Amino acid sequence: MSAVPAQGPTADGGALGVVRRGWRALAWYVTGVLGESDYQRYVAHLRRVHQDAEVPTVRDYWRDRYAAQDANPGARCC
Amino acid sequence: MRSPEHVELVRNNPDLPPVAVIDRRPMTTGKKLIFAAIGLVAAIAWALVAFVRGESVNGAYFVVAAVGTYVIAYRFYARLIEYKVVRPRDDRATPAEEHENGRDFAPTDRRVLFGHHFAAIAGAGPLVGPVLAAQMGYLPGTLWIIIGAVLAGCVQDYLVLWLSTRRRGRSLGQMIRDEMGSIGGAAGLIGVFVIMIIILAVLALVVVNALAESPWGVFSVGMTIPIALFMGVYLRYLRPGRVAEVSVIGVALLVLAIVAGGWVADTAWGAETFTLEPVTVAWLIVGYGFLASVLPVWLLLAPRDYLSTFMKVGTIVLLAVGVIIAQPAVQAPAVSSFAIEGNGPAFAGSLFPFLFITIACGALSGFHALISSGTSPKLVEKESQLRLIGYGGMLTESFVAIMALVTAISIDQNLYFTMNAPATLTGGEPGTAADYVNGLGLAGPPATAADIQGAADAVGEESIISRTGGAPTLAFGMSQILGSFLGGASLQAFWYHFAIMFEALFILTTVDAGTRVARFMLSDTLGNLGGPLRRFRDPSWRVGAWICSVVVCGLWGAILLMGVTDPLGGINSLFPLFGIANQLLAAMALALVTVVVVKKGYLKWAWIPAVPLVWDLAVTMTASFQKIFSPEPSLGFWAQHNAFREARDAGETSFGTAADPAAMDSVIRNTFLQGTLAIVFAVLVLIVALVALWVCVKAIRAGGLPTTEEPDSRSATFAPSSLVSTDAEREVAAQWTAYYQEHPDQLRTGTHA
């Protein structure tokens, strides 16, 4: 699911907790925009909807994905 | 929750928490005061920009005026469009929910999707256009970038995104055919293809002008290819899926390549190897486009895209911070004489219509309609988020354009015109260039040859004379702004090449992806003709891929080479064509939106897309008319063509800016092609506009007509609509969290195809 990772109050709290939460939020955002977290999203989708389907490895997932991009490119703007 | 009586919670299934929040609560007094204050501050900034004259105009006023206007427009005008036209229904499943497959259809957090969408729409366009338009002074460009975005560009992006989201993410060409019939559809399809070709050629020309005779630039931009190949191999074989990690490594290597470019350019062999003629650079870029089109995506295209996204966001933030900290003083006049007389050196033509043609991206860009139909509609979670993605994304691009304009108008005017006038005017030498700019009647002290050479030395270039195309000018301005607080004069050369590098990176990413897209459009069209050509439909048929890549690269490569060798200065004649093409695409998109709005029976609100459509048609048709029929050779393609023909027929061996018969022949050839393209564009758009008018009349007579919107499908999930969740949205989200904790097996049972 595409939601910010749970950010409950951390045990240590204080400044360190804020830094840690900030870092986690940043990592969540950057990996989201670049598409790195798409693999987790795909696996979650398979587990949820096609329980009996085989879950591909990270390597296979990206191979398939780039192959799909090869066949169906997306435009970039000027 | 505050005043819950105005909040309606919509449920599709009584056993599930609500899927939508309809919030009709009036604004709180506190919020009203905040918006009033923002409006007031923006109005003061506008007054300062519009009425204060002389060197006291501060670059930061532009930022305040722009951001204030954006906030008000987003809160009020975009909201009006939402209420009256879009009428989002969050109880309806979006394509991402309905057809979820975890890959191209996948519900994506609105904030992530905003970043995604922005990275796809923003490129070099909003950086280059405002820089060229700065020759007309700062006021016309500022007004058009901000007002144009609010009333035209954002409206187009938002509404096309809406249409495509209600049609399973269909493309612009397909939607035109579905809603306006096969004639409009065919004109639209050909138009998109031709426009794509001209856009690729002009963008490549900008890169050529930035890299020619610049060993530093050629080395560092050239290094992006091995860096991308390394990243591709790393992602495929070493650490698959580590996209963020490899991007950080790539950016570090990129910075190293910029620094190393300075060292290499300082050595004798480096200067000799990497100082390239414009024609050589052009051939290299055509070759690159071809390779990128036939090589597998994972090897070159995908890693370059990661680099480009990273650099894009980073540099834009850096520039925004730079403008706010450095607060550069504006050097340009409010309105220059070129705006009125239409004889500017960067591009010909008077304010109306050519300012609105030159600044396309950043105010109204038809190319966005291609992005807004396709990828983003397949990722959005709720229809009410479209305002943030579509309208908000374009506002951000408009902000980038304002930054570029501020950068350009804070450059010394003598240097600005030295860089942006074609070599035939400046003579290419510091002495002749100084004489040329001193003859323009600019404000401020006259330029000397030493000033001009000194500016080139400061950024580590051999010369800055006639470096047209916008990119070098922007890079020069950025190097002054960033150098003023980061590293001073010693780092100015680094910042200049940093800026050149990131612009080239953007543009090459557009060129390689665009070549590929155009190749697929061509092979699809050929395949649909049937017969033995049917084989072109198979994307894995390598021979077909090669043939189509050669054709596409040949088409834009020919226009590029034409621009590079043009004795009149390629940017001068081709950039208006690029702007016209882009704005004509916008006319097609706005015509489609208007047709659908009328068909749906929202006649009373049809002015929302129709006003920008009529304005855009007026601009593009006037510009096309002048480019085709103007008797003024500097403006009209055919007038120029005939003047050179007559001179050649009269046996003259040099004419105007062409020094020999070969140059005369190339002007005759180029103007013929440019004139023909201008006619083709105008005819295609007129066809689409007339078909749109006809369909609208039919729809009005019939009191509305059915559209090709997909039937409703009920949503079974919830997501907040605005950037920051409201209290009501947080409460519903908490209900869903609690529900999933109770029923972990129910976690998003999307109705899945």
Short mmCIF file of all heavy atoms in Angstrom, two decimals, chain B residues 435-460:
data_model
loop_
_atom_site.label_atom_id
_atom_site.label_comp_id
_atom_site.label_asym_id
_atom_site.label_seq_id
_atom_site.Cartn_x
_atom_site.Cartn_y
_atom_site.Cartn_z
N ASP B 435 30.51 46.73 -30.42
CA ASP B 435 29.94 47.76 -31.30
C ASP B 435 28.46 47.50 -31.55
O ASP B 435 27.65 48.42 -31.55
CB ASP B 435 30.68 47.77 -32.65
CG ASP B 435 32.10 48.29 -32.50
OD1 ASP B 435 32.37 48.93 -31.45
OD2 ASP B 435 32.92 48.04 -33.40
N TYR B 436 28.14 46.21 -31.77
CA TYR B 436 26.75 45.87 -32.06
C TYR B 436 25.84 46.22 -30.89
O TYR B 436 24.83 46.91 -31.06
CB TYR B 436 26.62 44.39 -32.43
CG TYR B 436 25.20 43.90 -32.41
CD1 TYR B 436 24.31 44.28 -33.40
CD2 TYR B 436 24.73 43.09 -31.38
CE1 TYR B 436 22.99 43.88 -33.38
CE2 TYR B 436 23.42 42.68 -31.34
CZ TYR B 436 22.55 43.07 -32.34
OH TYR B 436 21.25 42.67 -32.30
N VAL B 437 26.18 45.76 -29.68
CA VAL B 437 25.26 46.02 -28.56
C VAL B 437 25.22 47.50 -28.20
O VAL B 437 24.19 48.01 -27.78
CB VAL B 437 25.57 45.16 -27.29
CG1 VAL B 437 25.24 43.72 -27.53
CG2 VAL B 437 26.98 45.34 -26.82
N ASN B 438 26.34 48.20 -28.40
CA ASN B 438 26.32 49.64 -28.10
C ASN B 438 25.41 50.39 -29.07
O ASN B 438 24.93 51.47 -28.75
CB ASN B 438 27.73 50.21 -28.13
CG ASN B 438 28.55 49.70 -26.96
OD1 ASN B 438 28.00 49.28 -25.94
ND2 ASN B 438 29.86 49.70 -27.11
N GLY B 439 25.18 49.80 -30.24
CA GLY B 439 24.29 50.43 -31.21
C GLY B 439 22.82 50.15 -30.95
O GLY B 439 21.95 50.66 -31.66
N LEU B 440 22.52 49.31 -29.95
CA LEU B 440 21.12 48.94 -29.72
C LEU B 440 20.37 49.97 -28.89
O LEU B 440 19.15 49.89 -28.73
CB LEU B 440 21.04 47.59 -28.99
CG LEU B 440 21.43 46.34 -29.80
CD1 LEU B 440 21.38 45.11 -28.91
CD2 LEU B 440 20.48 46.16 -30.97
N GLY B 441 21.11 50.92 -28.31
CA GLY B 441 20.46 51.92 -27.47
C GLY B 441 19.97 51.37 -26.14
O GLY B 441 18.90 51.74 -25.66
N LEU B 442 20.75 50.45 -25.53
CA LEU B 442 20.35 49.89 -24.25
C LEU B 442 20.69 50.88 -23.13
O LEU B 442 21.59 51.71 -23.29
CB LEU B 442 21.11 48.58 -24.00
CG LEU B 442 20.95 47.51 -25.07
CD1 LEU B 442 21.93 46.38 -24.84
CD2 LEU B 442 19.53 46.98 -25.05
N ALA B 443 19.99 50.74 -22.02
CA ALA B 443 20.29 51.60 -20.88
C ALA B 443 21.62 51.17 -20.27
O ALA B 443 22.08 50.05 -20.49
CB ALA B 443 19.17 51.50 -19.86
N GLY B 444 22.23 52.05 -19.49
CA GLY B 444 23.46 51.69 -18.78
C GLY B 444 24.69 52.04 -19.60
O GLY B 444 24.60 52.42 -20.77
N PRO B 445 25.86 51.87 -18.98
CA PRO B 445 27.10 52.23 -19.66
C PRO B 445 27.37 51.31 -20.84
O PRO B 445 26.94 50.15 -20.82
CB PRO B 445 28.16 52.05 -18.56
CG PRO B 445 27.55 51.11 -17.59
CD PRO B 445 26.08 51.34 -17.64
N PRO B 446 28.07 51.80 -21.89
CA PRO B 446 28.34 50.96 -23.05
C PRO B 446 29.30 49.81 -22.70
O PRO B 446 30.05 49.89 -21.73
CB PRO B 446 28.99 51.92 -24.05
CG PRO B 446 29.47 53.07 -23.24
CD PRO B 446 28.59 53.16 -22.05
N ALA B 447 29.24 48.76 -23.52
CA ALA B 447 30.10 47.60 -23.30
C ALA B 447 31.43 47.82 -23.99
O ALA B 447 31.51 48.51 -25.00
CB ALA B 447 29.43 46.35 -23.86
N THR B 448 32.48 47.20 -23.46
CA THR B 448 33.76 47.20 -24.16
C THR B 448 34.10 45.76 -24.50
O THR B 448 33.53 44.81 -23.93
CB THR B 448 34.89 47.75 -23.25
OG1 THR B 448 35.04 46.83 -22.16
CG2 THR B 448 34.55 49.13 -22.73
N ALA B 449 35.04 45.61 -25.45
CA ALA B 449 35.47 44.27 -25.83
C ALA B 449 36.00 43.52 -24.61
O ALA B 449 35.79 42.31 -24.46
CB ALA B 449 36.52 44.35 -26.92
N ALA B 450 36.67 44.25 -23.72
CA ALA B 450 37.26 43.61 -22.54
C ALA B 450 36.17 43.07 -21.61
O ALA B 450 36.31 41.99 -21.04
CB ALA B 450 38.15 44.60 -21.80
N ASP B 451 35.05 43.81 -21.49
CA ASP B 451 33.94 43.33 -20.65
C ASP B 451 33.45 41.98 -21.16
O ASP B 451 33.20 41.05 -20.39
CB ASP B 451 32.74 44.29 -20.72
CG ASP B 451 33.03 45.64 -20.10
OD1 ASP B 451 34.00 45.70 -19.32
OD2 ASP B 451 32.30 46.60 -20.41
N ILE B 452 33.27 41.93 -22.49
CA ILE B 452 32.69 40.73 -23.08
C ILE B 452 33.62 39.55 -22.93
O ILE B 452 33.21 38.45 -22.54
CB ILE B 452 32.33 41.01 -24.56
CG1 ILE B 452 31.18 42.03 -24.60
CG2 ILE B 452 31.97 39.73 -25.28
CD1 ILE B 452 30.81 42.49 -25.98
N GLN B 453 34.93 39.77 -23.19
CA GLN B 453 35.88 38.67 -23.04
C GLN B 453 35.99 38.28 -21.57
O GLN B 453 36.09 37.10 -21.24
CB GLN B 453 37.24 39.06 -23.61
CG GLN B 453 38.20 37.89 -23.78
CD GLN B 453 37.57 36.74 -24.56
OE1 GLN B 453 36.95 36.93 -25.60
NE2 GLN B 453 37.68 35.52 -24.01
N GLY B 454 35.93 39.28 -20.68
CA GLY B 454 36.04 39.00 -19.25
C GLY B 454 34.90 38.11 -18.78
O GLY B 454 35.10 37.20 -17.95
N ALA B 455 33.69 38.34 -19.30
CA ALA B 455 32.54 37.52 -18.90
C ALA B 455 32.75 36.07 -19.35
O ALA B 455 32.42 35.13 -18.62
CB ALA B 455 31.26 38.08 -19.52
N ALA B 456 33.32 35.89 -20.56
CA ALA B 456 33.58 34.53 -21.03
C ALA B 456 34.63 33.86 -20.16
O ALA B 456 34.49 32.69 -19.76
CB ALA B 456 34.03 34.56 -22.50
N ASP B 457 35.69 34.59 -19.83
CA ASP B 457 36.76 34.02 -19.00
C ASP B 457 36.21 33.61 -17.64
O ASP B 457 36.59 32.57 -17.09
CB ASP B 457 37.89 35.03 -18.83
CG ASP B 457 38.60 35.32 -20.15
OD1 ASP B 457 38.45 34.49 -21.08
OD2 ASP B 457 39.26 36.37 -20.26
N ALA B 458 35.30 34.43 -17.09
CA ALA B 458 34.78 34.15 -15.75
C ALA B 458 34.07 32.81 -15.69
O ALA B 458 34.08 32.15 -14.65
CB ALA B 458 33.83 35.26 -15.32
N VAL B 459 33.45 32.39 -16.80
CA VAL B 459 32.74 31.11 -16.76
C VAL B 459 33.54 30.01 -17.47
O VAL B 459 33.01 28.92 -17.73
CB VAL B 459 31.33 31.22 -17.39
CG1 VAL B 459 30.45 32.11 -16.54
CG2 VAL B 459 31.37 31.71 -18.82
N GLY B 460 34.81 30.28 -17.78
CA GLY B 460 35.67 29.24 -18.32
C GLY B 460 35.34 28.86 -19.75
O GLY B 460 35.51 27.72 -20.16
#
